[in-house]
Amino acid sequence: MEHITLLLAIVVVTALVFDFTNGFHDTANAMATTISTGALKPKTAVAMSAVLNLVGAFLSVEVAKTISGGIVNENGLRTEVIFAALVGAILWNLLTWLVGLPSSSSHALFGGLIGAAVMSAGWSSINGGTVVTKVLLPAIAAPLVAGLAAMLAAKLTYRINRNVTDENQLKSTAKGYRAGQIASAGLVSLAHGTNDAQKTMGIITLALVTGGVLAPGSNPPMWVIVSAGVAIALGTYLGGWRIIRTMGKGLTDLRPPQGFAAQTSAATVILASSHLGFSLSTTQSCSGAVMGAGLGRKGGVVRWSTATRMFVAWGLTLPAAGLVGAGAEFLTKQGPWGITATAILLVGGSFAIWLASRRQPVDHTNVNDTEDATADEPRGVVTTAMAAVAPPPTASAVSDLSATIPAPAAAPDDTPRPAATV
């Protein structure tokens, strides 16, 4: 019994470590566009996001119940399986953070859990219907829905303001959109806490069920909700600056109206799915919304090489985390020495990734730098094709164009010459 109690404590701590990595890995979801457009200073943005993530953790437990009693069969599941699943999720989170890719922390957790459960008890331990309806289908639909909504919202925004030409009105409009960005970023942070903090609540609850502390089907205890909310808030405040740079500057160059459209669309999708118990990826929803908003402005550029790398990471997340989780479960099945070896691999791997990140550090002082190769990437095929849909200017419009070129400055003894008109 003492061994079980110690193992449960290790699993709970490891789950909170995952929650912490989820926080700094996904800070970009809420604050990347707000930081990149200058609506908020970087440190102010992550502090605001951290507080709202904590508040959001108390709003619902529907997603937590999906994880604790839906994806895998609780009966006969060993506590070591939960530990192995968390190892796979944490290592994948850290690896994708190192390369600045906004992969899904949610799918890393699901992949690790599925891989470890299959290694422990076979495919019969997985509830395939729940995985398809509440994990895979939302993973496909969420970025498409959020992206389409953001693109339409951005187009509508620019159309509404197309006749605004007065300089004072333009300044007032820009201030309004920046304020809207701050409000919508707060809504995304709240939604992220509601959706993602619950995943850790669910995994801890599942561990308590496997350890015999809770009955199957139980809701997360209050101490689990509080600890999960605090852990994700602390991770959010740390700031995943590498991924913030990718989403804020690497995918597309956003202006305040686009940032407002992207964040509002993403928050709507995330909150709706949380209410329905769909454990979708907030990363995929926000990334899809950013790309949609980028396409919503005439002449906007989406850097498809960065987007392609991101899509590949999305596709690899479930199987890669699953393989690591399965390997970790293979070790834990060997007994106490296997559990110890798995813990050592987790700590050693995490430390090695952190050391690698120190070679080219990214923090709040350089998060908006765009000196990398993606900053000057030309338009891709998709962006060019969409821009080509806009009708060319008419002949009358072209004939009315004129430009006045001022003459060179006259020398003191020269006769002044009139400006040349073309």
Side-chain angles (χ1 to χ4, degrees), residues 29 102 142-151 247 251 262 265-266 281-295 302 310-311 314:
N29 296 342
L144 294 177
V145 173
L148 181 61
M151 183 174 68
M247 286 189 67
L251 278 175
S265 302
S281 165
T282 56
T283 300
Q284 292 180 359
S285 300
C286 293
S287 299
V290 167
M291 286 186 283
L295 293 173
V302 171
M310 189 175 65
F311 295 151
W314 291 357

PDB file of all heavy atoms in Angstrom, residues 29 102 142-151 247 251 262 265-266 281-295 302 310-311 314:
ATOM      1  N   ASN A  29      -1.130  30.632 -27.734  1.00  0.00           N
ATOM      2  CA  ASN A  29      -2.502  30.557 -28.230  1.00  0.00           C
ATOM      3  C   ASN A  29      -3.277  31.832 -27.923  1.00  0.00           C
ATOM      4  O   ASN A  29      -4.028  32.340 -28.759  1.00  0.00           O
ATOM      5  CB  ASN A  29      -3.238  29.372 -27.588  1.00  0.00           C
ATOM      6  CG  ASN A  29      -2.639  28.044 -27.976  1.00  0.00           C
ATOM      7  OD1 ASN A  29      -1.908  27.957 -28.952  1.00  0.00           O
ATOM      8  ND2 ASN A  29      -2.934  27.008 -27.216  1.00  0.00           N
ATOM      9  N   PRO A 102       4.090  25.134 -32.646  1.00  0.00           N
ATOM     10  CA  PRO A 102       2.892  25.081 -31.798  1.00  0.00           C
ATOM     11  C   PRO A 102       2.121  23.780 -31.986  1.00  0.00           C
ATOM     12  O   PRO A 102       1.048  23.751 -32.571  1.00  0.00           O
ATOM     13  CB  PRO A 102       2.074  26.291 -32.271  1.00  0.00           C
ATOM     14  CG  PRO A 102       2.480  26.495 -33.685  1.00  0.00           C
ATOM     15  CD  PRO A 102       3.925  26.070 -33.777  1.00  0.00           C
ATOM     16  N   ALA A 142     -11.774  21.663 -35.759  1.00  0.00           N
ATOM     17  CA  ALA A 142     -11.527  22.900 -35.011  1.00  0.00           C
ATOM     18  C   ALA A 142     -10.695  23.922 -35.786  1.00  0.00           C
ATOM     19  O   ALA A 142     -11.094  25.085 -35.894  1.00  0.00           O
ATOM     20  CB  ALA A 142     -10.880  22.576 -33.664  1.00  0.00           C
ATOM     21  N   PRO A 143      -9.510  23.544 -36.331  1.00  0.00           N
ATOM     22  CA  PRO A 143      -8.742  24.564 -37.056  1.00  0.00           C
ATOM     23  C   PRO A 143      -9.439  25.050 -38.315  1.00  0.00           C
ATOM     24  O   PRO A 143      -9.293  26.214 -38.691  1.00  0.00           O
ATOM     25  CB  PRO A 143      -7.421  23.851 -37.384  1.00  0.00           C
ATOM     26  CG  PRO A 143      -7.718  22.401 -37.287  1.00  0.00           C
ATOM     27  CD  PRO A 143      -8.780  22.271 -36.253  1.00  0.00           C
ATOM     28  N   LEU A 144     -10.204  24.170 -38.977  1.00  0.00           N
ATOM     29  CA  LEU A 144     -10.926  24.591 -40.183  1.00  0.00           C
ATOM     30  C   LEU A 144     -12.030  25.583 -39.841  1.00  0.00           C
ATOM     31  O   LEU A 144     -12.185  26.623 -40.492  1.00  0.00           O
ATOM     32  CB  LEU A 144     -11.508  23.362 -40.891  1.00  0.00           C
ATOM     33  CG  LEU A 144     -10.497  22.377 -41.473  1.00  0.00           C
ATOM     34  CD1 LEU A 144     -11.224  21.172 -42.069  1.00  0.00           C
ATOM     35  CD2 LEU A 144      -9.632  23.046 -42.532  1.00  0.00           C
ATOM     36  N   VAL A 145     -12.812  25.267 -38.806  1.00  0.00           N
ATOM     37  CA  VAL A 145     -13.905  26.154 -38.411  1.00  0.00           C
ATOM     38  C   VAL A 145     -13.359  27.491 -37.912  1.00  0.00           C
ATOM     39  O   VAL A 145     -13.831  28.567 -38.308  1.00  0.00           O
ATOM     40  CB  VAL A 145     -14.775  25.480 -37.333  1.00  0.00           C
ATOM     41  CG1 VAL A 145     -15.804  26.458 -36.784  1.00  0.00           C
ATOM     42  CG2 VAL A 145     -15.468  24.257 -37.906  1.00  0.00           C
ATOM     43  N   ALA A 146     -12.346  27.434 -37.039  1.00  0.00           N
ATOM     44  CA  ALA A 146     -11.772  28.666 -36.502  1.00  0.00           C
ATOM     45  C   ALA A 146     -11.121  29.491 -37.610  1.00  0.00           C
ATOM     46  O   ALA A 146     -11.233  30.721 -37.636  1.00  0.00           O
ATOM     47  CB  ALA A 146     -10.747  28.342 -35.414  1.00  0.00           C
ATOM     48  N   GLY A 147     -10.423  28.814 -38.548  1.00  0.00           N
ATOM     49  CA  GLY A 147      -9.776  29.529 -39.639  1.00  0.00           C
ATOM     50  C   GLY A 147     -10.767  30.197 -40.570  1.00  0.00           C
ATOM     51  O   GLY A 147     -10.581  31.356 -40.971  1.00  0.00           O
ATOM     52  N   LEU A 148     -11.826  29.475 -40.910  1.00  0.00           N
ATOM     53  CA  LEU A 148     -12.838  30.055 -41.791  1.00  0.00           C
ATOM     54  C   LEU A 148     -13.541  31.226 -41.112  1.00  0.00           C
ATOM     55  O   LEU A 148     -13.760  32.282 -41.732  1.00  0.00           O
ATOM     56  CB  LEU A 148     -13.862  28.980 -42.174  1.00  0.00           C
ATOM     57  CG  LEU A 148     -14.987  29.410 -43.128  1.00  0.00           C
ATOM     58  CD1 LEU A 148     -14.418  29.881 -44.451  1.00  0.00           C
ATOM     59  CD2 LEU A 148     -15.971  28.257 -43.345  1.00  0.00           C
ATOM     60  N   ALA A 149     -13.882  31.064 -39.836  1.00  0.00           N
ATOM     61  CA  ALA A 149     -14.543  32.150 -39.109  1.00  0.00           C
ATOM     62  C   ALA A 149     -13.642  33.373 -39.012  1.00  0.00           C
ATOM     63  O   ALA A 149     -14.097  34.515 -39.193  1.00  0.00           O
ATOM     64  CB  ALA A 149     -14.937  31.672 -37.710  1.00  0.00           C
ATOM     65  N   ALA A 150     -12.348  33.165 -38.742  1.00  0.00           N
ATOM     66  CA  ALA A 150     -11.418  34.288 -38.631  1.00  0.00           C
ATOM     67  C   ALA A 150     -11.231  34.991 -39.970  1.00  0.00           C
ATOM     68  O   ALA A 150     -11.138  36.222 -40.028  1.00  0.00           O
ATOM     69  CB  ALA A 150     -10.073  33.803 -38.094  1.00  0.00           C
ATOM     70  N   MET A 151     -11.161  34.228 -41.061  1.00  0.00           N
ATOM     71  CA  MET A 151     -10.987  34.836 -42.383  1.00  0.00           C
ATOM     72  C   MET A 151     -12.196  35.690 -42.745  1.00  0.00           C
ATOM     73  O   MET A 151     -12.048  36.831 -43.213  1.00  0.00           O
ATOM     74  CB  MET A 151     -10.788  33.748 -43.445  1.00  0.00           C
ATOM     75  CG  MET A 151     -10.519  34.313 -44.840  1.00  0.00           C
ATOM     76  SD  MET A 151     -10.121  33.033 -46.050  1.00  0.00           S
ATOM     77  CE  MET A 151     -11.696  32.186 -46.180  1.00  0.00           C
ATOM     78  N   MET A 247       3.937  31.887 -33.804  1.00  0.00           N
ATOM     79  CA  MET A 247       2.542  32.189 -34.081  1.00  0.00           C
ATOM     80  C   MET A 247       2.311  33.668 -34.331  1.00  0.00           C
ATOM     81  O   MET A 247       1.432  34.054 -35.102  1.00  0.00           O
ATOM     82  CB  MET A 247       1.655  31.709 -32.930  1.00  0.00           C
ATOM     83  CG  MET A 247       1.483  30.218 -32.895  1.00  0.00           C
ATOM     84  SD  MET A 247       0.229  29.688 -31.707  1.00  0.00           S
ATOM     85  CE  MET A 247      -1.256  30.334 -32.453  1.00  0.00           C
ATOM     86  N   LEU A 251       3.939  32.787 -38.827  1.00  0.00           N
ATOM     87  CA  LEU A 251       2.885  32.317 -39.714  1.00  0.00           C
ATOM     88  C   LEU A 251       2.420  33.400 -40.682  1.00  0.00           C
ATOM     89  O   LEU A 251       2.235  33.161 -41.870  1.00  0.00           O
ATOM     90  CB  LEU A 251       1.685  31.822 -38.898  1.00  0.00           C
ATOM     91  CG  LEU A 251       1.760  30.404 -38.343  1.00  0.00           C
ATOM     92  CD1 LEU A 251       0.556  30.120 -37.469  1.00  0.00           C
ATOM     93  CD2 LEU A 251       1.836  29.398 -39.473  1.00  0.00           C
ATOM     94  N   ALA A 262      -8.953  36.906 -35.226  1.00  0.00           N
ATOM     95  CA  ALA A 262      -8.402  35.578 -34.951  1.00  0.00           C
ATOM     96  C   ALA A 262      -8.723  35.120 -33.538  1.00  0.00           C
ATOM     97  O   ALA A 262      -9.188  33.996 -33.310  1.00  0.00           O
ATOM     98  CB  ALA A 262      -6.890  35.592 -35.180  1.00  0.00           C
ATOM     99  N   SER A 265     -12.555  34.437 -32.876  1.00  0.00           N
ATOM    100  CA  SER A 265     -12.997  33.190 -33.522  1.00  0.00           C
ATOM    101  C   SER A 265     -12.493  31.978 -32.757  1.00  0.00           C
ATOM    102  O   SER A 265     -13.246  31.020 -32.502  1.00  0.00           O
ATOM    103  CB  SER A 265     -12.493  33.151 -34.969  1.00  0.00           C
ATOM    104  OG  SER A 265     -12.956  34.268 -35.699  1.00  0.00           O
ATOM    105  N   ALA A 266     -11.209  31.991 -32.359  1.00  0.00           N
ATOM    106  CA  ALA A 266     -10.646  30.855 -31.636  1.00  0.00           C
ATOM    107  C   ALA A 266     -11.323  30.659 -30.286  1.00  0.00           C
ATOM    108  O   ALA A 266     -11.651  29.532 -29.895  1.00  0.00           O
ATOM    109  CB  ALA A 266      -9.144  31.056 -31.450  1.00  0.00           C
ATOM    110  N   SER A 281      -7.827  20.564 -29.452  1.00  0.00           N
ATOM    111  CA  SER A 281      -6.550  21.229 -29.248  1.00  0.00           C
ATOM    112  C   SER A 281      -6.739  22.736 -29.366  1.00  0.00           C
ATOM    113  O   SER A 281      -7.106  23.238 -30.427  1.00  0.00           O
ATOM    114  CB  SER A 281      -5.536  20.745 -30.287  1.00  0.00           C
ATOM    115  OG  SER A 281      -4.423  21.605 -30.328  1.00  0.00           O
ATOM    116  N   THR A 282      -6.459  23.465 -28.286  1.00  0.00           N
ATOM    117  CA  THR A 282      -6.519  24.924 -28.369  1.00  0.00           C
ATOM    118  C   THR A 282      -5.442  25.449 -29.310  1.00  0.00           C
ATOM    119  O   THR A 282      -5.628  26.475 -29.964  1.00  0.00           O
ATOM    120  CB  THR A 282      -6.341  25.544 -26.976  1.00  0.00           C
ATOM    121  OG1 THR A 282      -5.120  25.082 -26.401  1.00  0.00           O
ATOM    122  CG2 THR A 282      -7.490  25.156 -26.070  1.00  0.00           C
ATOM    123  N   THR A 283      -4.315  24.747 -29.380  1.00  0.00           N
ATOM    124  CA  THR A 283      -3.240  25.159 -30.293  1.00  0.00           C
ATOM    125  C   THR A 283      -3.713  25.126 -31.738  1.00  0.00           C
ATOM    126  O   THR A 283      -3.485  26.067 -32.508  1.00  0.00           O
ATOM    127  CB  THR A 283      -2.019  24.237 -30.128  1.00  0.00           C
ATOM    128  OG1 THR A 283      -1.549  24.320 -28.786  1.00  0.00           O
ATOM    129  CG2 THR A 283      -0.904  24.638 -31.083  1.00  0.00           C
ATOM    130  N   GLN A 284      -4.356  24.046 -32.127  1.00  0.00           N
ATOM    131  CA  GLN A 284      -4.812  23.933 -33.510  1.00  0.00           C
ATOM    132  C   GLN A 284      -5.899  24.954 -33.814  1.00  0.00           C
ATOM    133  O   GLN A 284      -5.937  25.527 -34.900  1.00  0.00           O
ATOM    134  CB  GLN A 284      -5.311  22.509 -33.770  1.00  0.00           C
ATOM    135  CG  GLN A 284      -4.204  21.472 -33.748  1.00  0.00           C
ATOM    136  CD  GLN A 284      -4.710  20.067 -34.000  1.00  0.00           C
ATOM    137  OE1 GLN A 284      -5.899  19.850 -34.172  1.00  0.00           O
ATOM    138  NE2 GLN A 284      -3.809  19.104 -34.004  1.00  0.00           N
ATOM    139  N   SER A 285      -6.787  25.199 -32.859  1.00  0.00           N
ATOM    140  CA  SER A 285      -7.844  26.195 -33.067  1.00  0.00           C
ATOM    141  C   SER A 285      -7.247  27.581 -33.268  1.00  0.00           C
ATOM    142  O   SER A 285      -7.618  28.308 -34.200  1.00  0.00           O
ATOM    143  CB  SER A 285      -8.799  26.205 -31.870  1.00  0.00           C
ATOM    144  OG  SER A 285      -9.394  24.945 -31.691  1.00  0.00           O
ATOM    145  N   CYS A 286      -6.306  27.960 -32.401  1.00  0.00           N
ATOM    146  CA  CYS A 286      -5.709  29.294 -32.490  1.00  0.00           C
ATOM    147  C   CYS A 286      -4.822  29.432 -33.722  1.00  0.00           C
ATOM    148  O   CYS A 286      -4.816  30.488 -34.372  1.00  0.00           O
ATOM    149  CB  CYS A 286      -4.915  29.592 -31.226  1.00  0.00           C
ATOM    150  SG  CYS A 286      -5.948  29.763 -29.747  1.00  0.00           S
ATOM    151  N   SER A 287      -4.082  28.386 -34.070  1.00  0.00           N
ATOM    152  CA  SER A 287      -3.235  28.448 -35.265  1.00  0.00           C
ATOM    153  C   SER A 287      -4.082  28.570 -36.519  1.00  0.00           C
ATOM    154  O   SER A 287      -3.761  29.347 -37.433  1.00  0.00           O
ATOM    155  CB  SER A 287      -2.355  27.190 -35.349  1.00  0.00           C
ATOM    156  OG  SER A 287      -1.509  27.089 -34.228  1.00  0.00           O
ATOM    157  N   GLY A 288      -5.173  27.808 -36.586  1.00  0.00           N
ATOM    158  CA  GLY A 288      -6.073  27.918 -37.727  1.00  0.00           C
ATOM    159  C   GLY A 288      -6.673  29.300 -37.833  1.00  0.00           C
ATOM    160  O   GLY A 288      -6.803  29.864 -38.929  1.00  0.00           O
ATOM    161  N   ALA A 289      -7.033  29.894 -36.676  1.00  0.00           N
ATOM    162  CA  ALA A 289      -7.601  31.236 -36.682  1.00  0.00           C
ATOM    163  C   ALA A 289      -6.584  32.277 -37.140  1.00  0.00           C
ATOM    164  O   ALA A 289      -6.921  33.211 -37.875  1.00  0.00           O
ATOM    165  CB  ALA A 289      -8.117  31.590 -35.289  1.00  0.00           C
ATOM    166  N   VAL A 290      -5.326  32.124 -36.727  1.00  0.00           N
ATOM    167  CA  VAL A 290      -4.275  33.058 -37.152  1.00  0.00           C
ATOM    168  C   VAL A 290      -4.084  32.999 -38.669  1.00  0.00           C
ATOM    169  O   VAL A 290      -3.997  34.036 -39.344  1.00  0.00           O
ATOM    170  CB  VAL A 290      -2.952  32.755 -36.420  1.00  0.00           C
ATOM    171  CG1 VAL A 290      -1.791  33.501 -37.068  1.00  0.00           C
ATOM    172  CG2 VAL A 290      -3.064  33.147 -34.952  1.00  0.00           C
ATOM    173  N   MET A 291      -4.038  31.787 -39.220  1.00  0.00           N
ATOM    174  CA  MET A 291      -3.875  31.666 -40.669  1.00  0.00           C
ATOM    175  C   MET A 291      -5.092  32.213 -41.411  1.00  0.00           C
ATOM    176  O   MET A 291      -4.960  32.879 -42.448  1.00  0.00           O
ATOM    177  CB  MET A 291      -3.618  30.205 -41.047  1.00  0.00           C
ATOM    178  CG  MET A 291      -2.228  29.727 -40.686  1.00  0.00           C
ATOM    179  SD  MET A 291      -1.868  28.064 -41.288  1.00  0.00           S
ATOM    180  CE  MET A 291      -2.774  27.090 -40.107  1.00  0.00           C
ATOM    181  N   GLY A 292      -6.282  31.939 -40.890  1.00  0.00           N
ATOM    182  CA  GLY A 292      -7.486  32.468 -41.523  1.00  0.00           C
ATOM    183  C   GLY A 292      -7.513  33.983 -41.513  1.00  0.00           C
ATOM    184  O   GLY A 292      -7.859  34.619 -42.520  1.00  0.00           O
ATOM    185  N   ALA A 293      -7.114  34.589 -40.378  1.00  0.00           N
ATOM    186  CA  ALA A 293      -7.066  36.048 -40.310  1.00  0.00           C
ATOM    187  C   ALA A 293      -6.006  36.608 -41.241  1.00  0.00           C
ATOM    188  O   ALA A 293      -6.186  37.685 -41.828  1.00  0.00           O
ATOM    189  CB  ALA A 293      -6.786  36.489 -38.873  1.00  0.00           C
ATOM    190  N   GLY A 294      -4.900  35.879 -41.413  1.00  0.00           N
ATOM    191  CA  GLY A 294      -3.868  36.323 -42.351  1.00  0.00           C
ATOM    192  C   GLY A 294      -4.379  36.371 -43.771  1.00  0.00           C
ATOM    193  O   GLY A 294      -4.064  37.293 -44.534  1.00  0.00           O
ATOM    194  N   LEU A 295      -5.205  35.404 -44.142  1.00  0.00           N
ATOM    195  CA  LEU A 295      -5.783  35.379 -45.490  1.00  0.00           C
ATOM    196  C   LEU A 295      -6.947  36.357 -45.636  1.00  0.00           C
ATOM    197  O   LEU A 295      -7.354  36.669 -46.759  1.00  0.00           O
ATOM    198  CB  LEU A 295      -6.267  33.963 -45.824  1.00  0.00           C
ATOM    199  CG  LEU A 295      -5.180  32.895 -45.971  1.00  0.00           C
ATOM    200  CD1 LEU A 295      -5.815  31.520 -46.122  1.00  0.00           C
ATOM    201  CD2 LEU A 295      -4.264  33.195 -47.139  1.00  0.00           C
ATOM    202  N   VAL A 302       0.488  34.303 -45.825  1.00  0.00           N
ATOM    203  CA  VAL A 302       0.682  33.194 -44.898  1.00  0.00           C
ATOM    204  C   VAL A 302       1.953  32.470 -45.318  1.00  0.00           C
ATOM    205  O   VAL A 302       2.110  32.109 -46.486  1.00  0.00           O
ATOM    206  CB  VAL A 302      -0.519  32.223 -44.905  1.00  0.00           C
ATOM    207  CG1 VAL A 302      -0.194  30.971 -44.105  1.00  0.00           C
ATOM    208  CG2 VAL A 302      -1.753  32.903 -44.334  1.00  0.00           C
ATOM    209  N   MET A 310       4.312  23.005 -39.159  1.00  0.00           N
ATOM    210  CA  MET A 310       3.351  22.905 -38.071  1.00  0.00           C
ATOM    211  C   MET A 310       2.361  21.766 -38.322  1.00  0.00           C
ATOM    212  O   MET A 310       2.044  20.983 -37.408  1.00  0.00           O
ATOM    213  CB  MET A 310       2.619  24.232 -37.927  1.00  0.00           C
ATOM    214  CG  MET A 310       1.753  24.356 -36.711  1.00  0.00           C
ATOM    215  SD  MET A 310       1.089  26.027 -36.603  1.00  0.00           S
ATOM    216  CE  MET A 310       0.067  26.049 -38.096  1.00  0.00           C
ATOM    217  N   PHE A 311       1.868  21.642 -39.554  1.00  0.00           N
ATOM    218  CA  PHE A 311       0.946  20.551 -39.885  1.00  0.00           C
ATOM    219  C   PHE A 311       1.605  19.195 -39.665  1.00  0.00           C
ATOM    220  O   PHE A 311       0.978  18.254 -39.161  1.00  0.00           O
ATOM    221  CB  PHE A 311       0.487  20.671 -41.337  1.00  0.00           C
ATOM    222  CG  PHE A 311      -0.327  21.895 -41.637  1.00  0.00           C
ATOM    223  CD1 PHE A 311      -0.316  22.463 -42.897  1.00  0.00           C
ATOM    224  CD2 PHE A 311      -1.097  22.494 -40.651  1.00  0.00           C
ATOM    225  CE1 PHE A 311      -1.057  23.601 -43.182  1.00  0.00           C
ATOM    226  CE2 PHE A 311      -1.842  23.632 -40.916  1.00  0.00           C
ATOM    227  CZ  PHE A 311      -1.819  24.190 -42.184  1.00  0.00           C
ATOM    228  N   TRP A 314       1.649  18.464 -36.054  1.00  0.00           N
ATOM    229  CA  TRP A 314       0.317  18.039 -35.609  1.00  0.00           C
ATOM    230  C   TRP A 314       0.090  16.560 -35.911  1.00  0.00           C
ATOM    231  O   TRP A 314      -0.415  15.816 -35.072  1.00  0.00           O
ATOM    232  CB  TRP A 314      -0.765  18.859 -36.300  1.00  0.00           C
ATOM    233  CG  TRP A 314      -0.835  20.289 -35.879  1.00  0.00           C
ATOM    234  CD1 TRP A 314      -0.081  20.898 -34.914  1.00  0.00           C
ATOM    235  CD2 TRP A 314      -1.707  21.286 -36.401  1.00  0.00           C
ATOM    236  NE1 TRP A 314      -0.427  22.222 -34.816  1.00  0.00           N
ATOM    237  CE2 TRP A 314      -1.421  22.498 -35.706  1.00  0.00           C
ATOM    238  CE3 TRP A 314      -2.689  21.293 -37.378  1.00  0.00           C
ATOM    239  CZ2 TRP A 314      -2.099  23.684 -35.974  1.00  0.00           C
ATOM    240  CZ3 TRP A 314      -3.371  22.472 -37.643  1.00  0.00           C
ATOM    241  CH2 TRP A 314      -3.074  23.657 -36.951  1.00  0.00           C
TER     242      TRP A 314
END
